[in-house]
Amino acid sequence: METLNQFFKLFVLDIRNTMGLLFWGNFALATLVFTFRFTLFSKDNKAHLLVFGCSKIFQSFAWLAFFLRTDTVTINPINIIITNTLLFTSYYLESVAMLMMVKGTSKKAYRLQILLFVITLLGFCGFILLGVAANIRVSMASIIVFSLLIMPSLQFLTAARSSLFKKILGFNYVILLIVLIFRTFYPLFKTSTTLYSVDPTQKIIFLIIFLMMIISGVGFLLLLQEEKEIQVKKLLDDKDKFFSIIAHDLRGPFNGIIGLSELLLEKDNQLKPKETNEFIQLIHQSSKNAYSLLDNLLTWAQSQTGSLEFVPKKIKISPIIDRTINLMDNIAQSKNITIQSEIKNEEYVFADKDMLETIFRNLISNAIKFTENNGKVLLSMTNENNKTVFSIKDSGIGIAPEKMTNLFAINQRNTTSGTNDETGTGLGLTLCKDFVEKHGGQIWVESEIGKGSNFKFSIPNPI
């Protein structure tokens, strides 16, 4: 029995001692996060770690400020506002770090979060200046932290169900939210409850907060490490595909050029002008195929290494469309395909001009490739939900449903011969996907066998 009593003394902590633990715990986590940021993690993860590390720094100083308060009876508005502002700022930054881990989080979500932070903070400061009771302050603080964490927690849980670390981290935040709900209502029924109350329930709440802090900090780092490993695996897969393209697909056009040129050299005097012209046309087509592939390979390699600069600005769309159509005109005419644009001259979009041109060139080229002679390719655009949606629709052969799933993945073999046996690698669509996602948009396809395909991509409009 004595041993059991001694064991339970581990959980008998003074509130100030618990605040001291929260200070040292957050400070240690901040040190760990910034150590990881400067040593182990990639450029993509450094922004996440910076925000999360700053949240832990703010929280450590918030608990230090609470710990150092000596007069807990007299209301000192400035003291209360400063300490709680540090605490709310820390949870706001933690909520931003959570949103950054949810793929596809819109700018609107970040704006709503900062608006919520400002409104709740100003509301809290106003109530403090009005001199509200201590138990009301405790409840209000809990409501504010809950409101800052609820939206990111829900997005985090609904968008991340496959990863074990994401599940653990999400479950951790659910427990924290439940504790915050309890802490919101509990002080209202205990009028003597203050932040420094010796109430056993208050001690348990602080211990749970301490445990949740440790789990969230370690879980965050483990999750980023897991994502880094997934990213490295993807890069290795992409590298294998890249060399596969160079080894296999680039060899084909050059083999054609070399073989045909050798025949011309050997049988120059035996060939009729018409036959010679046919050989020259084949060599010309093989050269164009090789050049197109090299161009896509170089552009893709630059985008993957980060050497391709992304410079979005307001640009007029029609010159890009006209230039791309003119570039593809000879290929379209050889199959008697009509390329028509319904995009008006006065339309603008906020995008990188070179990337947008590459997207259109590849999508229009594919549309011509998979459209029968005498077919049609139609370009159009619409504005919906603060984004511009472009459409490249053809009257071609369509795409089988089983091929549509991995159509934009570089580690899948998607090359298919065109209606006139045109060759390709599938790299163009991967390039389109990369460039569209750099703009914060999406690309997808609607297709039916025998009825053509409609490739669409969106570019967000700046607000």
Side-chain angles (χ1 to χ4, degrees):
M1 183 60 69
E2 182 63 28
T3 304
L4 192 61
N5 289 332
Q6 291 296 326
F7 174 77
F8 279 118
K9 286 182 180 179
L10 286 172
F11 303 95
V12 182
L13 289 174
D14 180 76
I15 290 296
R16 286 189 181 277
N17 290 339
T18 310
M19 289 179 180
L21 284 175
L22 285 165
F23 162 73
W24 285 113
N26 279 286
F27 188 79
L29 281 173
T31 304
L32 186 63
V33 168
F34 282 108
T35 302
F36 271 63
R37 183 176 185 270
F38 289 113
T39 55
L40 300 177
F41 280 86
S42 64
K43 181 175 68 175
D44 295 334
N45 287 333
K46 283 190 174 182
H48 295 72
L49 289 167
L50 176 64
V51 175
F52 191 71
C54 287
S55 77
K56 293 303 163 187
I57 288 176
F58 272 97
Q59 196 164 149
S60 64
F61 282 110
W63 291 119
L64 179 63
F66 281 121
F67 178 83
L68 293 176
R69 280 176 60 182
T70 54
D71 184 5
T72 61
V73 178
T74 306
I75 294 181
N76 184 337
I78 300 302
N79 197 338
I80 295 172
I81 288 172
I82 290 173
T83 52
N84 282 280
T85 298
L86 287 170
L87 185 66
F88 300 154
T89 303
S90 73
Y91 279 111
Y92 162 70
L93 291 173
E94 188 166 344
S95 71
V96 171
M98 291 167 66
L99 288 174
M100 292 173 74
M101 294 167 70
V102 178
K103 190 176 181 181
T105 300
S106 64
K107 291 181 180 179
K108 184 180 179 181
Y110 293 107
R111 286 194 289 269
L112 287 173
Q113 197 67 5
I114 193 168
L115 183 64
L116 179 64
F117 167 65
V118 172
I119 291 173
T120 52
L121 179 60
L122 291 176
F124 183 83
C125 293
F127 277 101
I128 294 303
L129 295 175
L130 290 173
V132 297
N135 62 323
I136 302 297
R137 296 200 305 267
V138 171
S139 293
M140 286 181 62
S142 300
I143 291 172
I144 291 172
V145 175
F146 177 86
S147 62
L148 289 172
L149 292 178
I150 182 64
M151 185 182 74
S153 296
L154 291 175
Q155 289 193 21
F156 192 80
L157 285 170
T158 54
R161 296 188 180 276
S162 57
S163 168
L164 175 62
F165 288 128
K166 283 183 178 178
K167 287 180 180 178
I168 293 172
L169 198 53
F171 184 68
N172 172 75
Y173 281 111
V174 168
I175 294 175
L176 182 58
L177 289 172
I178 292 171
V179 171
L180 288 169
I181 292 172
F182 178 80
R183 193 169 183 267
T184 298
F185 293 101
Y186 179 73
L188 299 178
F189 299 98
K190 297 276 290 186
T191 54
S192 61
T193 301
T194 68
L195 186 67
Y196 305 90
S197 171
V198 294
D199 184 0
T201 305
Q202 183 91 325
K203 293 180 182 181
I204 294 171
I205 289 172
F206 271 88
L207 280 173
I208 293 173
I209 291 173
F210 175 75
L211 289 173
M212 296 303 100
M213 175 207 71
I214 297 296
I215 294 171
S216 66
V218 176
F220 188 89
L221 293 175
L222 289 173
L223 182 55
L224 286 182
Q225 178 64 37
E226 182 186 48
E227 290 183 348
K228 182 184 176 184
E229 289 173 0
I230 292 171
Q231 187 179 28
V232 169
K233 185 178 183 300
K234 181 181 179 299
L235 287 172
L236 290 173
D237 290 343
D238 291 353
K239 182 201 70 174
D240 293 340
K241 173 66 176 177
F242 184 78
F243 284 115
S244 170
I245 291 170
I246 293 174
H248 183 274
D249 298 282
L250 196 55
R251 185 185 298 167
F254 279 108
N255 282 340
I257 294 168
I258 294 168
L260 290 167
S261 59
E262 283 179 351
L263 282 173
L264 278 175
L265 288 170
E266 291 173 3
K267 299 183 179 182
D268 182 37
N269 298 326
Q270 304 172 24
L271 296 172
K272 297 176 182 179
K274 185 179 179 180
E275 292 175 326
T276 303
N277 186 56
E278 288 177 358
F279 275 105
I280 292 172
Q281 285 183 359
L282 289 170
I283 291 172
H284 177 67
Q285 187 60 46
S286 293
S287 301
K288 285 175 66 176
N289 289 342
Y291 176 79
S292 177
L293 177 56
L294 276 172
D295 188 42
N296 275 342
L297 282 170
L298 179 61
T299 306
W300 181 81
Q302 287 177 320
S303 72
Q304 296 302 300
T305 56
S307 58
L308 190 66
E309 193 175 1
F310 176 56
V311 188
K313 58 184 177 181
K314 187 178 180 181
I315 54 175
K316 199 173 184 179
I317 301 169
S318 55
I320 294 175
I321 298 296
D322 293 341
R323 191 160 50 247
T324 307
I325 291 176
N326 289 334
L327 185 66
M328 298 292 162
D329 194 48
N330 287 337
I331 305 172
Q333 283 185 13
S334 69
K335 299 177 73 173
N336 198 29
I337 291 173
T338 303
I339 306 177
Q340 182 182 345
S341 174
E342 295 182 345
I343 299 173
K344 298 177 182 177
N345 289 332
E346 64 271 16
E347 296 288 357
Y348 287 83
V349 69
F350 191 80
D352 183 287
K353 183 176 73 69
D354 294 330
M355 289 188 181
L356 192 61
E357 197 164 331
T358 300
I359 294 167
F360 277 117
R361 187 178 71 246
N362 278 287
L363 293 179
I364 295 173
S365 175
N366 274 1
I368 295 169
K369 175 181 172 183
F370 294 106
T371 300
E372 299 280 3
N373 293 351
N374 306 312
K376 183 179 179 180
V377 176
L378 180 65
L379 280 66
S380 61
M381 64 164 282
T382 57
N383 287 300
E384 50 189 68
N385 299 325
N386 294 322
K387 61 185 177 183
T388 301
V389 179
F390 293 97
S391 168
I392 296 87
K393 186 178 182 180
D394 63 61
S395 58
I397 59 176
I399 305 168
E402 63 270 14
K403 287 189 176 182
M404 290 172 64
T405 307
N406 298 312
L407 199 60
F408 300 97
I410 192 172
N411 59 350
Q412 298 291 326
R413 193 80 180 158
N414 293 317
T415 180
T416 307
S417 295
T419 55
N420 282 4
D421 293 327
E422 302 98 324
T423 58
T425 63
L427 184 64
L429 289 179
T430 303
L431 199 58
C432 290
K433 181 176 183 290
D434 285 351
F435 285 176
V436 168
E437 289 181 349
K438 277 186 184 292
H439 286 83
Q442 293 178 307
I443 185 169
W444 66 98
V445 62
E446 300 166 358
S447 184
E448 189 175 344
I449 292 291
K451 294 187 178 180
S453 302
N454 189 2
F455 279 85
K456 295 182 177 182
F457 68 93
S458 63
I459 301 289
N461 295 328
I463 299 175

